[in-house]
Amino acid sequence: MIRELLDRFAGMGMRMPSPAELAEVAVALGLAVLALTIGVVVGRRIGAQVAGLWHRIAGEHINGIQARLCRITRYLIVALLLSPVAGGYAWHPPATLLLGIALGLAMALAVVEVLRGLGLPRLATWPMGAIAFTSLLSKTMGGLGVIEALLARVGFDIGTRRLSLLSLLTFLVTVTIIYALVRIANRLLAQWIGRAKGLDPTQQLLGQKLASIAIVTAAFFVGIDLLGIDLTTFAVFSGAFGLAIGFGMQKTVGNLIAGIILLMDRSIKPGDVIVVGDSFGWVNKIGVRAVSVITRDGKEHLIPNENLMTQEVENWSYTDRNVRVRIAVTVAYGCDLELAQDLMLRAATESPRVLDTPPPNVWLNALGENGAAHEILVWISDPESGVGNVRSDVLNRLWKLFGEHGITVPAPRRDVLIRGGPEPDRR
């Protein structure tokens, strides 16, 4: 039976592996299993330490990679162990194929884990893993020349340039790698700048914005150079296209520059309490396009950066966070004004958010139609918590004190004169 099977394979042009080749396959399989075992053990022990080091370097910015570092370490160790094994000995084709598959799978899984950790969708990560697997397998089996020639053959010419599957794959791989590097560099620089003790929060935010712009610009020119794109070919088109984009993105660029200027002159900083038109709240974030202002109602207003440069803005915490609150109180005539004023000061002093320095004060503003108009002046240091609740607390305390000491608040009174009515009966 075995002899007939061998004869049938020979008749089909296929050759059964020799005993020496089978022995090499067994050795290669054993080495692949050994590399996988070492990768699992070392990845489990060292992966946690690498994750801790990564957390100290990158902080909370790239948690996706930190959770996958054990698996990434495992696959990279397997690939590093199998690479010299596959290339350091002249294996027969069956063993070479086995080692190439194991090496390609390890590297493909490492690539997928890294890209998934950076937040790329599966639709982008798995094709990159497939490309890594095919490249390493082909290189192990004797080179990429055959595959490159096949991919270069499928395409068409546009002028002096040829568009093929090879150029398309090269473009996709280059863009994906540059995107991943830019994403990592942006977050690492943001973390390092955020840890700089010599910079205040506004300077840190400005540094992060400028570093991000510099990284994206450098990545663009590096990508153009790697892809071999000649920008002089598009000189006329790019000029017209750039002009159109300039008009269309005028507001966007203006908001970007306005945001950078706001961060540079530090007139508005994250945490400031500002009033812009009808919007009152504290600055949550200064973005590329707009400033996020959170109101006391929990609503988040996105105000374009340009508006903050051209409109009048009240910044309650520009140089000092202390804000004065005015509280109007009217006391009826006939009451003891000196006692009423003492009670006003007492109510203001007992309010928990009112500062002792500067101290509260009471002014008699006018002797009005219905009573003596006073104004209580108090200072607070946390305007982001609102001013209406301070006014309400002081008035509630004052109402109780007035009631305890017999001080009354005047009620409006109007005398109505009716003309042209029936004469009253004087009998």
Side-chain angles (χ1 to χ4, degrees), residues 25-314:
V25 170
V27 173
L29 180 60
L31 291 175
V33 173
L34 178 61
L36 178 60
T37 304
I38 294 175
V40 171
V41 175
V42 176
R44 187 175 299 170
R45 293 184 177 180
I46 298 182
Q49 300 177 3
V50 175
L53 177 63
W54 180 261
H55 179 74
R56 289 193 295 273
I57 294 175
E60 302 292 338
H61 289 275
I62 317 180
N63 287 331
I65 288 184
Q66 182 179 346
R68 300 171 182 266
L69 274 177
C70 288
R71 293 192 293 272
I72 294 173
T73 306
R74 177 197 312 160
Y75 298 139
L76 288 179
I77 289 176
V78 173
L80 290 175
L81 291 176
L82 289 179
S83 181
V85 172
Y89 179 77
W91 301 91
H92 287 90
T96 304
L97 177 62
L98 177 63
L99 291 174
I101 292 175
L103 178 59
L105 280 176
M107 185 55 67
L109 291 174
V111 169
V112 170
E113 290 292 339
V114 171
L115 295 180
R116 288 292 294 161
L118 291 174
L120 271 71
R122 296 181 184 272
L123 189 62
T125 56
W126 285 108
M128 293 299 107
I131 292 174
F133 172 78
T134 305
S135 300
L136 286 178
L137 178 60
S138 301
K139 186 176 182 181
T140 305
M141 294 300 295
L144 299 172
V146 177
I147 295 180
E148 288 180 356
L150 178 62
L151 293 175
R153 227 179 266 127
V154 181
F156 53 91
D157 296 326
I158 299 180
T160 59
R161 193 171 185 85
R162 179 169 179 78
L163 296 180
S164 62
L165 285 179
L166 180 61
S167 61
L168 177 61
L169 288 177
T170 303
F171 176 80
L172 292 177
V173 171
T174 304
V175 170
T176 303
I177 293 175
I178 290 177
Y179 174 79
L181 293 177
V182 167
R183 196 174 178 89
I184 292 177
N186 269 334
R187 296 187 177 183
L188 287 179
L189 280 176
Q191 177 67 17
W192 293 341
I193 294 174
R195 290 178 176 177
K197 297 181 179 179
L199 302 177
D200 59 28
T202 304
Q203 294 171 335
Q204 292 174 359
L205 184 58
L206 176 61
Q208 292 169 358
K209 299 288 184 186
L210 295 179
S212 177
I213 294 174
I215 290 173
V216 172
T217 304
F220 172 77
F221 287 108
V222 169
I224 291 296
D225 183 63
L226 291 176
L227 294 173
I229 299 176
D230 187 8
L231 293 180
T232 58
T233 308
F234 304 96
V236 177
F237 172 75
S238 60
F241 186 66
L243 186 62
I245 290 181
F247 281 111
M249 299 185 66
Q250 182 178 3
K251 289 293 185 182
T252 303
V253 176
N255 284 322
L256 172 62
I257 296 176
I260 294 177
I261 294 175
L262 288 175
L263 291 173
M264 290 180 65
D265 68 1
R266 302 173 64 184
S267 58
I268 295 177
K269 308 177 291 296
D272 282 352
V273 180
I274 65 173
V275 180
V276 184
D278 296 332
S279 300
F280 162 79
W282 59 278
V283 178
N284 179 36
K285 182 178 66 174
I286 300 179
V288 174
R289 188 191 66 83
V291 173
S292 168
V293 177
I294 299 180
T295 66
R296 288 288 296 160
D297 298 330
K299 299 177 182 178
E300 190 165 2
H301 293 187
L302 298 178
I303 303 174
N305 295 332
E306 253 189 342
N307 291 2
L308 299 178
M309 294 289 296
T310 58
Q311 295 183 8
E312 181 179 349
V313 180
E314 293 183 21

Side-chain angles (χ1 to χ4, degrees), residues 317-352:
S317 52
Y318 180 50
T319 56
D320 189 359
R321 295 190 59 83
N322 291 350
V323 174
R324 188 166 69 174
V325 181
R326 299 173 179 268
I327 306 171
V329 177
T330 302
V331 178
Y333 291 125
C335 297
D336 188 346
L337 288 186
E338 185 176 354
L339 175 61
Q341 293 170 0
D342 290 339
L343 295 178
M344 294 179 197
L345 284 176
R346 178 179 168 184
T349 305
E350 292 178 353
S351 183

